[in-house]
Amino acid sequence: MDLQKQTPPAAAELRASDADRDRIADILREALAEGRLTADEHAERVEGALAAKTVGELDVFIRDLPAAHQRRTAPVSAPSRPTAGAIPLDPDENVVAVFSAAVRKGRRRAGRRIHAYAIFGSVEIDLSEALFEYQQVVVKAISVFGSVDVRVPENVSLRGTGGGVLGNFEVHTLDAEDPAAPVVYVDGWAVLGNIEGRAKRGKLVADILDRVQHKVDKSLRKHLDR
C-alpha cells in the first residue's frame, strides 16, 4: 500500500509559542513608544496577540509596522563544550553554601570559571547584569541536598552538561544571534538536589566581550531599565 505524503504546514500555520507572543508584544511596545500606534490600538493588538493560536495570526498585528519587514538573523549555534585550553583549571571564584544560602549578582565581572557548591543549602549565580570579559564562561556546579540556580542574559548562548542522581539537572539551551556573544557552560551533578540554568527574561548584556566604554544602543538601555 502506498503511503500518503504529508505536506508540512506553512510557517503561518504553525502553532505560536510564548516566545513568539513575547516577540510581537515587544514590537508593539516599541511602536507605541515611537508614536506609530495609539494607546487604544496598542491595547487592542496586545490583547489579540495574547489570544493568537498560530504564527500567521500573530503576524497580522505587526504587518503594517517596519519591524515586521526586517530580516531576522538566524541564531548561531555555540559548541556544546568550551574550547580546549580556553578555560583555566583553577576557578576565578568559589561560591559555597553549607546549610546556608549564597548569592552572586549585580554589575560585576564574570570570571572564566566559577565553582558553586550547595550542600544542604542554596546558591544563586545571576549573570544577567555581569560584565563579560571572556567569550566562554564555565560554571561548575555540585549540589548535594541543595540547589544551584544560574541565570544569564537573554542574548548570550547557554549550554549544559551534567546529570542528577535522584536529583534534577536542567539547563535551558539558548542560542545568541551575535556570533561574538559570550557562551555560558553549566557543568555539574545534582545528588538529591537541583541544578538549573536559564535566561532571565528581559535582561540583555550590552557590553559583550567587555565593550563597556562603547555607547549602548537605546533599545538595549530600555531593556536594562525594565
Side-chain angles (χ1 to χ4, degrees), residues 92-154:
D92 296 304
E93 182 178 13
N94 286 307
V95 186
V96 181
V98 180
F99 289 98
S100 62
V103 178
R104 297 292 186 274
K105 64 180 181 179
R107 200 66 171 164
R108 53 200 300 273
R109 296 186 182 277
R112 284 178 290 181
R113 178 182 285 272
I114 303 170
H115 285 185
Y117 303 94
I119 314 298
F120 289 93
S122 64
V123 172
E124 179 185 356
I125 299 176
D126 189 342
L127 301 175
S128 62
E129 297 180 1
L131 307 178
F132 285 88
E133 293 183 290
Y134 310 100
Q135 191 172 21
Q136 297 181 337
V137 174
V138 169
V139 179
K140 180 70 175 180
I142 300 295
S143 172
V144 180
F145 288 97
S147 65
V148 177
D149 292 324
V150 180
R151 299 292 180 262
V152 301
E154 288 187 317

Side-chain angles (χ1 to χ4, degrees), residues 174-186:
L174 185 65
D175 285 311
E177 294 184 354
D178 188 344
V183 185
V184 177
Y185 298 93
V186 179

